[in-house]
Amino acid sequence: MAKGNHILNPLFGYSGNRYTVAFDGVNDYFDLGSTPGLCFSDTHITSTGFTVTAWIYLPGSGSETASMPILNIGRENTNDYYGIQCGLSSGKPRIHVMGLNGSTAGAGSNNRRTLTATAALPRKRWNHIAWSCLGMSAAAAGSTWHILVNGSVQTCTVSGINASLVATYSGDSYIGNSGNLPADIQYINTCNLGDITVHAKQLSVTEIQNVYATNNDGIDWMTPVGAYSAADALSLKAWWQMGTPTGPPTYPIIYDDATASAYDDYPATMINMTSTDIVTSPLWG
């Protein structure tokens, strides 16, 4: 469902000539296929961590009362809790790291570690969210996991304190699709998404802030700036730009534009969408 081409006031975040994708809140999503390089193990999360970032624009009023999936890594066609899910809960940024409780699958707090911001995202403006994680324990989630919104560290709550949690993955990955069984799938609510990135290491708060400060439509995750080093740039595993400043993506594929040595190439296929859903800067009522 197309939202039309508009120019967004540059004072309100992600502006300029970057392309974004409009989601209708009904059944729009991207299928990323199998993404083994993004399915970070317990050992990797404990020793190195990972970071996910996304630009999102929400309409002026919303009806979200539950989960709104943005990036869902390694959870396909199951109601058990598997994989990594970055999204919103009632408009509040949230991340789950999910898997087995010892050797037992399930759908409950014993099968996930969760960090949720206490404040909902501002509406009618672009917001930049970063989910930055290092460590698998409940203590780590409360101290070395961070959520940043527009460069500011958020106050958060932790749930899921099971010490036996093991990060586990099942099947494909998605943007805007929860990966549940067909009768229970949740889709992303009405919104626009801009760049989404995955780094195979935890970026520090300062590193994220330094890149964010390079200015809305000028962010380039391949270019070192401030504390964000060349080594950080080389940890970039995936970067869905939705298009580039010099040209649109090719429908129905949103290409993974990461070019670092860690690059694995995960093109995203637009599902239940049309070429008119690729827009420049939305305007919501």
Side-chain angles (χ1 to χ4, degrees):
M1 177 179 178
K3 305 299 186 297
N5 295 288
H6 304 281
I7 299 300
L8 185 68
N9 186 330
L11 296 177
F12 287 85
Y14 188 87
S15 64
N17 296 320
R18 297 301 285 268
Y19 288 88
T20 69
V21 175
F23 291 79
D24 65 8
V26 178
N27 61 356
D28 290 353
Y29 69 98
F30 295 172
D31 190 335
L32 304 179
S34 177
T35 59
L38 307 183
C39 295
F40 304 118
S41 68
D42 268 52
T43 300
H44 182 96
I45 295 172
T46 298
S47 63
T48 307
F50 67 91
T51 305
V52 175
T53 72
W55 283 97
I56 185 169
Y57 189 97
L58 297 174
S61 61
S63 58
E64 305 95 65
T65 59
S67 177
M68 178 176 172
I70 296 177
L71 177 63
N72 205 64
I73 298 172
R75 185 189 188 202
E76 177 188 16
N77 201 31
T78 177
N79 284 341
D80 287 333
Y81 286 179
Y82 291 112
I84 296 169
Q85 186 178 93
C86 298
L88 306 179
S89 175
S90 299
K92 302 172 184 177
R94 178 178 69 183
I95 182 169
H96 295 308
V97 176
M98 304 180 285
L100 298 177
N101 171 9
S103 60
T104 304
S109 60
N110 282 339
N111 294 86
R112 66 184 179 190
R113 190 89 68 232
T114 302
L115 188 71
T116 307
T118 58
L121 288 182
R123 293 183 175 273
K124 299 185 72 173
R125 63 153 290 163
W126 279 100
N127 292 286
H128 182 261
I129 311 173
W131 299 268
S132 174
C133 299
L134 177 66
M136 274 297 295
S137 68
S143 60
T144 56
W145 291 21
H146 306 291
I147 295 175
L148 285 76
V149 174
N150 302 325
S152 296
V153 178
Q154 302 297 289
T155 300
C156 297
T157 59
V158 177
S159 61
I161 61 173
N162 175 28
S164 300
L165 179 68
V166 178
T168 313
Y169 302 88
S170 175
D172 288 355
S173 300
Y174 304 96
I175 291 172
N177 180 326
S178 66
N180 290 61
L181 291 170
D184 298 309
I185 284 178
Q186 295 170 316
Y187 296 101
I188 196 167
N189 296 86
T190 303
C191 71
N192 280 63
L193 290 180
D195 290 17
I196 297 175
T197 67
V198 183
H199 284 74
K201 64 169 291 187
Q202 183 187 50
L203 299 179
S204 72
V205 168
T206 300
E207 288 164 351
I208 294 167
Q209 290 172 334
N210 286 171
V211 178
Y212 173 76
T214 59
N215 205 354
N216 46 47
D217 60 338
I219 282 182
D220 181 358
W221 290 99
M222 293 305 304
T223 302
V225 58
Y228 183 74
S229 67
D232 296 322
L234 288 174
S235 75
L236 182 65
K237 295 288 286 185
W239 184 8
W240 298 281
Q241 289 197 68
M242 314 302 172
T244 70
T246 57
T250 302
Y251 173 82
I253 303 299
I254 301 295
Y255 289 101
D256 173 2
D257 293 320
T259 57
S261 60
Y263 172 54
D264 287 332
D265 190 9
Y266 300 119
T269 302
M270 300 170 69
I271 306 296
N272 302 320
M273 307 180 80
T274 72
S275 60
T276 58
D277 289 314
I278 301 169
V279 300
T280 55
S281 297
L283 181 65
W284 297 96

